[in-house]
Amino acid sequence: MTIAPWLAGAAAVVVLAVKASKRLQLSRAKHKGLVGHVRMAKRMSRLLPFYDFDRDQFFAADGAPADVVAQREAGFARLSALFKERFPKSAAASDEMRDSIPDIAFTGTYRVPFPFSRVVREALSSGNFYAASDGVMLTDLDGNQFYDLTGSYGVNLLGTDTYKGFMKRGEETVAALGPVLGGLHPVVSENVKRLKAISGLDAVSFHMSGTEAVMQAVRLAQYHTGRQRIVRFAGSYNGWWGDVQPGVGNPVSADRTLTLADMSEQTLKVLASRKDIACVLVNPLQAMHPNSNAPGDSALVDSSRGVRVDRAAYSAWLARLREVCTKAGVVLIIDEVFTGFRLSKHGASEYFGVQGDLVTYGKTLGGGYPVGVLCGRADLMKRFRDDRPADICFARGTFNSHPSVMGAMDQFLRWHASAEADAAYAGVDDKWNARADALNGRLEAEGLSPRVGNLGTVWSTFYTRPSRYNWMFQFYLRAEGLATGWTGSGRFIFSFAYGDAEFAEVADRYVAAARAFEADGWAWSGEGVTNKDLKRQILRESLRAKLGRG
């Protein structure tokens, strides 16, 4: 009679020990920084107080000497005068719509670190509106022409002129059916056949956006595995919906999501041992900066941002991830919404040598229109069970195969199957790597701080000297006629339409912008100052603001 309580106690200890071991294993698989601890990151974001600099503080936030402060003030005044002279209509249009289009207010506020934002908005507004595109150029409302480095956030792979042609010819293909929804235009069948061949998978579904395609992929993985947990990697972006963006920016707690470290042995151990994981999401763009968030200039508070792509190492990691997922019954989702068709003819899956169970595409595949596409194994794409008629998986949408989108997609896929596409992809990686190397060689030779890193046609700027003001570089790029997205210098997206002459012009302007940026004192760094020193300085400012000490 006395043995049973002892056994019960021992069993309880064993259960607790197993739970503690699993918890420790999971903790080890998370990235050490806040990017790997999303709940802590959300708590910290709520604690961070708002403060902003007046004009005097704005130019001397890093304790620069008076002569450097004077350089900055003079450079800022020149830049402000240039923007006001050159961009009046474009800036006025954005100012008018700021309160009516919340995206304008958000992107305008978060182009730079928030303490500097108010002064920048008042002095360096250039607008969000464009009137025309031609080749690799954009024209704003004031008639200014810019080399397009925005890439339409990934859509523009082949150049705007090519997509205009796709859209026009695609519309002619489906004109007789027009806006009819619910049924399918015959061109859909051809699109599906081509997508199956490209992805190496069995079935296809269409969506209105990349985010929706990822939502569908995750839902189907959960349905077929009977598991609920999602694994995404620290810093990775897979759309804005709750379960795949569980940290800062998501007001809802994503309790089913595990955010683990990219390229980590501990992560593989978690995947191999747990029985509640439905799927793993991989965004191949993270090869540029594993375990780091997308490089927006709003977070550019020092010069610790780096970009270095090791294709062999990332390929080896994905191969091991594929093996572990297969053994553990975990669905591997390759999210190519951004990278699809940029890195090689069959996308990042071909480039890194990994086959996903489900693959999502978007952006450029729409031929100029917004689209999301999911390709997958037949067993995973099925929405019902033959033996349980009420056990179904809802995943549908009214506009998912809009004839106009399908017509333009047909045009893109026709191009993709052509000899012209074969020529465009031949040596594409070497070409863009060589361009990046050449630009970096020029910057290094002149002793300038900015450098570039790239994954094919997707580029990021990083900086070689500690500075709190690297985010100012984006405005010098603008002044030189280079159009960037709202993330600033962190993401340039080139199209294949950039020939050698066009790229040479961009490189010249980039170097000119870097010279002016440094001549105006923004890259100044005190002797012996490190990035850690700059972060400590910001921490002290935050604490003073939190305590109400100004």
Side-chain angles (χ1 to χ4, degrees):
M1 297 295 293
T2 59
I3 296 177
W6 179 85
L7 285 175
V13 170
V14 171
V15 170
L16 289 172
V18 170
K19 287 184 176 180
S21 176
K22 287 185 176 180
R23 184 64 191 172
L24 179 61
Q25 184 184 62
L26 182 60
S27 180
R28 287 175 174 170
K30 294 181 178 181
H31 190 259
K32 293 179 180 178
L34 285 177
V35 71
H37 293 77
V38 294
R39 288 184 176 84
M40 182 62 71
K42 289 181 71 172
R43 294 189 193 104
M44 293 294 291
S45 70
R46 297 187 189 107
L47 294 174
L48 185 66
F50 173 79
Y51 63 97
D52 69 348
F53 296 134
D54 61 27
R55 288 189 70 87
D56 290 336
Q57 294 168 318
F58 182 95
F59 297 104
D62 56 352
D67 60 327
V68 174
V69 170
Q71 280 180 285
R72 292 171 178 171
E73 289 176 336
F76 194 81
R78 285 194 300 271
L79 207 56
S80 179
L82 184 149
F83 273 45
K84 285 179 169 59
E85 176 186 356
R86 193 177 291 177
F87 311 127
K89 293 179 182 178
S90 301
S94 292
D95 290 343
E96 181 185 0
M97 289 291 103
R98 178 180 171 83
D99 294 331
S100 300
I101 304 176
D103 284 347
I104 292 178
F106 180 83
T107 57
T109 299
Y110 286 92
R111 291 189 74 96
V112 305
F114 68 84
F116 300 94
S117 181
R118 177 178 56 82
V119 175
V120 168
R121 291 199 311 274
E122 292 170 354
L124 297 176
S125 177
S126 59
N128 300 73
F129 289 84
Y130 292 100
S133 63
D134 180 29
V136 297
M137 307 301 291
L138 295 174
T139 303
D140 70 5
L141 305 188
D142 298 282
N144 301 297
Q145 288 199 314
F146 300 86
Y147 283 88
D148 180 14
L149 304 186
T150 73
S152 296
Y153 297 100
V155 173
N156 187 5
L157 173 66
L158 303 178
T160 53
D161 292 351
T162 299
Y163 286 104
K164 288 176 185 178
F166 288 168
M167 294 166 75
K168 182 176 183 295
R169 294 192 298 276
E171 198 63 47
E172 292 169 355
T173 300
V174 301
L177 183 61
V180 173
L181 304 173
L184 302 175
H185 189 281
V187 76
V188 173
S189 298
E190 292 303 313
N191 289 344
V192 168
K193 291 174 184 176
R194 296 189 191 108
L195 286 167
K196 287 170 61 177
I198 289 168
S199 66
L201 294 165
D202 309 312
V204 179
S205 64
F206 298 105
H207 305 272
M208 285 298 292
S209 69
T211 287
E212 287 185 20
V214 174
M215 292 171 71
Q216 163 84 310
V218 169
R219 174 172 283 197
L220 287 170
Q222 292 168 329
Y223 174 65
H224 287 289
T225 63
R227 305 170 181 178
Q228 292 296 306
R229 288 211 179 271
I230 304 164
V231 168
R232 43 91 72 174
F233 294 120
S236 181
Y237 182 75
N238 300 101
W240 56 263
W241 64 286
D243 282 348
V244 296
Q245 192 188 33
V248 176
N250 179 11
V252 179
S253 177
D255 294 327
R256 296 177 300 180
T257 305
L258 302 177
T259 299
L260 304 182
D262 210 350
M263 303 185 74
S264 164
E265 289 294 322
Q266 297 298 329
T267 290
L268 296 179
K269 290 178 181 178
V270 168
L271 292 171
S273 62
R274 293 186 68 118
K275 304 301 181 185
D276 59 349
I277 296 173
C279 58
V280 175
L281 283 158
V282 171
N283 179 350
L285 196 62
Q286 288 302 111
M288 295 182 75
H289 39 74
N291 299 306
S292 295
N293 289 329
D297 281 7
S298 62
L300 199 56
V301 296
D302 62 9
S303 299
S304 58
R305 182 166 83 194
V307 183
R308 180 180 178 274
V309 176
D310 188 332
R311 181 179 177 182
Y314 202 72
S315 298
W317 153 252
L318 290 179
R320 296 203 58 207
L321 179 65
R322 170 71 278 178
E323 181 182 3
V324 169
C325 286
T326 300
K327 290 181 179 178
V330 174
V331 176
L332 180 60
I333 303 171
I334 308 296
D335 179 4
E336 292 226 48
V337 168
F338 195 104
T339 56
F341 307 102
R342 283 195 166 272
L343 301 179
S344 64
K345 193 170 184 183
H346 290 255
S349 296
E350 178 184 47
Y351 185 80
F352 290 112
V354 61
Q355 177 65 64
D357 301 305
L358 299 170
V359 179
T360 59
Y361 300 104
K363 302 188 185 297
T364 194
L365 186 56
Y369 289 110
V371 73
V373 174
L374 172 63
C375 300
R377 288 179 2 215
D379 59 313
L380 292 174
M381 295 289 281
K382 195 172 183 179
R383 319 295 172 78
F384 61 92
R385 304 189 195 283
D386 293 322
D387 58 340
R388 284 174 277 171
D391 188 356
I392 60 177
C393 181
F394 279 120
R396 58 189 183 185
T398 306
F399 301 104
N400 288 358
S401 299
H402 192 286
S404 295
V405 179
M406 292 296 106
M409 183 183 295
D410 170 61
Q411 293 297 313
F412 173 81
L413 290 172
R414 285 176 183 273
W415 172 86
H416 188 269
S418 70
E420 181 184 352
D422 291 338
Y425 282 110
V428 66
D429 200 42
D430 291 338
K431 175 194 293 185
W432 286 96
N433 290 345
R435 287 174 172 177
D437 290 342
L439 179 54
N440 281 332
R442 293 178 63 182
L443 295 165
E444 184 176 4
E446 295 196 31
L448 300 171
S449 176
R451 297 286 191 280
V452 296
N454 74 300
L455 181 62
T457 54
V458 183
W459 291 33
S460 287
T461 295
F462 61 98
Y463 302 85
T464 56
R465 290 198 299 276
S467 171
R468 285 191 68 175
Y469 290 94
N470 290 323
W471 46 266
M472 273 295 299
F473 186 44
Q474 63 182 292
F475 301 103
Y476 287 83
L477 293 169
R478 185 81 175 176
E480 289 293 334
L482 302 179
T484 64
W486 76 273
T487 53
S489 69
R491 188 76 84 217
F492 303 152
I493 310 168
F494 290 95
S495 72
F496 284 8
Y498 273 92
D500 290 341
E502 291 85 0
F503 181 80
E505 185 64 31
V506 169
D508 287 346
R509 294 180 184 221
Y510 187 100
V511 172
R515 290 174 186 146
F517 166 76
E518 299 216 6
D520 287 343
W522 303 110
W524 174 87
S525 181
E527 186 175 352
V529 171
T530 66
N531 290 317
K532 285 186 178 180
D533 293 331
L534 296 179
K535 288 178 179 176
R536 292 191 190 105
Q537 190 178 56
I538 295 165
L539 178 60
R540 289 193 295 270
E541 291 172 3
S542 299
L543 289 174
R544 286 197 299 269
K546 190 73 174 176
L547 297 173
R549 295 177 181 174

